[in-house]
Amino acid sequence: MSDLFHRAGPGQPPLSGPDPARRSYFSYAAFNDPDGNEWLLQEVTARFPGRIDANATSFASGSDLASAMRRPSVAHGEHEMRTGGQRDENWPDWYAEYMVAEQAGKELPS
């Protein structure tokens, strides 16, 4: 494996060590696998806009998921009050839509 290197900008020659500002997409390392393929690793600390699937949902822990479920629980209670207090048989669908929209930064269902 090569030592870490970075580039000051596109088309610039490689410089020793990681990018001093630790900018995403500027630090690299390279290696060859046993089959002779050359690989280039690139450090990514923050994704460029549009590089993250806004529809993907993930939670780092059970606690994060529980917190994410509490927020739609409150919102769903308000939703049921608006609909006359009747039980909503499709509440799991409503919760799922709420949680995905919230995590993606999209408009929340009412």
Side-chain angles (χ1 to χ4, degrees):
M1 182 179 280
S2 73
D3 289 332
L4 290 175
F5 63 95
H6 69 280
R7 296 183 187 277
Q12 299 295 311
L15 302 167
S16 182
D19 178 60
R22 296 313 289 243
R23 296 173 293 174
S24 246
Y25 301 99
F26 279 80
S27 297
Y28 306 90
F31 70 94
N32 292 329
D33 70 19
D35 293 329
N37 299 303
E38 186 173 347
W39 293 83
L40 179 67
L41 303 177
Q42 185 177 40
E43 181 180 37
V44 177
T45 57
R47 303 293 272 170
F48 283 148
R51 296 278 180 107
I52 297 174
D53 182 356
N55 295 315
T57 306
S58 63
F59 300 94
S61 68
S63 176
D64 285 351
L65 177 56
S67 292
M69 292 175 77
R70 284 185 188 95
R71 291 186 294 276
S73 174
V74 170
H76 193 259
E78 294 168 1
H79 166 73
E80 285 186 334
M81 286 184 358
R82 284 190 304 273
T83 61
Q86 295 186 356
R87 184 175 181 339
D88 181 357
E89 293 298 323
N90 295 320
W91 69 266
D93 297 331
W94 193 94
Y95 266 52
E97 183 182 341
Y98 186 102
M99 292 170 69
V100 169
E102 181 187 51
Q103 194 168 65
K106 295 181 178 178
E107 184 176 344
L108 300 176
S110 54

